[in-house]
Amino acid sequence: MPPDPEATVPFGAVTPPTLPLPGLGGLRDLPALDHRIADCRACPRLVEWREAVAREKRAAFADRTYWGRPVPGFGPADAALLVVGLAPAAHGGNRTGRMFTGDRSGDVLYQALYDVGLASQPTSVAVGDGLELYGVRVTAPVHCAPPANRPTPGERDMCRPWLVRELRLLRPTVRAVVVLGAFGWQAALPALAEAGWTVPRPRPVFAHGARVCLRDGEGGDDLTVLGCFHVSQRNTFTGRLTPAMLRRVLGEAAEAAGLATDTDGPGGGP
């Protein structure tokens, strides 16, 4: 069984948002940021691992060409709701090049987004499969697939400037964030603070259904942050996270973000 994504990882020193990835402030839109993310080689262990997986492949995907690079966020640049995961899966996002695409965790997440009317279809199998998200963007605090699904504290901190810049670019429209799992919660709150929202002290503790309102330190709109158990196989196979539980959190987040959800049946769209 894979490592528990609800496990916490001790924080090290917080990496300043402009180091060791200079020039992020010059990226004025999300497509430019996504392009830069996909070219990142800042963490030697992650680069070696993601590229080895892309060469060796899983037998079921032996005839596929793996992405084998950092996986940028997915969704519209004016998203009102952001979903933050952990990191791409070795044979999921690392294979397909899109967040939560091509693995069972993605099957659960995108089915739930479809059920509440925030996605055009219930499946996410490959880039170019026609999937659209309605007012929702999906990202992660670590953009490379890590060995054993466990980034180190240093790798998490190295990757934080990408998330900070993504949050900065989303500031005009984002009103709610759903964080999947304790690791994501630990990584997201410092990034949100660096991006300009005020995180309460002591720092809120992760729990499924946790809800925190972050004041905008720059005079903008407040941000609602909700915790949700990760959509990992460990959680979904054991029933720790059920589809109904996930739909409730996403529906609550959509309401906080001002997004219309589907009340007449799954997949109704905006």
Side-chain angles (χ1 to χ4, degrees):
M1 184 172 287
D4 186 356
E6 312 304 343
T8 58
V9 178
F11 269 97
V14 174
T15 304
T18 57
L19 294 172
L21 303 169
L24 297 193
L27 298 175
R28 301 301 181 185
D29 58 53
L30 281 170
L33 178 69
D34 293 344
H35 181 78
R36 279 282 302 275
I37 287 172
D39 287 337
C40 184
R41 301 183 66 84
C43 300
R45 187 182 79 114
L46 297 187
V47 171
E48 180 180 5
W49 170 255
R50 78 193 191 206
E51 293 180 355
V53 169
R55 288 192 304 271
E56 297 164 7
K57 306 182 182 181
R58 178 173 283 172
F61 307 120
D63 61 340
R64 310 289 176 85
T65 299
Y66 275 55
W67 173 252
R69 299 164 66 188
V71 181
F74 169 59
D78 60 351
L81 170 59
L82 182 67
V83 177
V84 179
L86 191 162
H91 303 281
N94 188 59
R95 174 174 61 86
T96 64
R98 191 166 73 190
M99 284 288 176
F100 282 106
T101 296
D103 60 25
R104 291 186 177 180
S105 294
D107 293 344
V108 173
L109 176 62
Y110 288 115
Q111 177 71 61
L113 287 169
Y114 174 77
D115 287 344
V116 298
L118 298 177
S120 63
Q121 61 191 43
T123 57
S124 179
V125 297
V127 172
D129 61 5
L131 175 65
E132 294 181 56
L133 300 183
Y134 304 132
V136 180
R137 184 172 171 88
V138 181
T139 192
V142 176
H143 286 276
C144 292
N149 201 34
R150 184 63 58 85
T152 67
E155 290 161 351
R156 174 205 56 208
D157 292 346
M158 183 77 80
C159 212
R160 185 178 298 135
W162 297 123
L163 181 56
V164 172
R165 189 60 190 160
E166 188 170 18
L167 289 165
R168 278 279 179 186
L169 291 171
L170 287 168
R171 282 181 67 87
T173 59
V174 70
R175 299 294 176 264
V177 177
V178 172
V179 184
L180 303 175
F183 182 98
W185 186 267
Q186 277 193 316
L189 291 181
L192 286 162
E194 289 182 29
W197 286 279
T198 301
V199 176
R201 292 184 179 277
R203 184 178 292 156
V205 176
F206 172 77
H208 181 81
R211 179 170 179 150
V212 181
C213 180
L214 304 187
R215 302 299 179 186
D216 190 316
E218 300 177 7
D221 292 314
D222 295 341
L223 187 72
T224 300
V225 181
L226 296 102
C228 180
F229 288 142
H230 196 279
V231 289
S232 66
Q233 293 183 50
R234 175 191 290 268
N235 287 338
T236 57
F237 283 5
T238 61
R240 189 183 194 193
L241 177 67
T242 66
M245 291 167 64
L246 179 56
R247 288 194 298 268
R248 280 195 294 271
V249 173
L250 291 173
E252 184 178 349
E255 181 179 4
L259 295 173
T261 55
D262 189 353
T263 58
D264 298 320

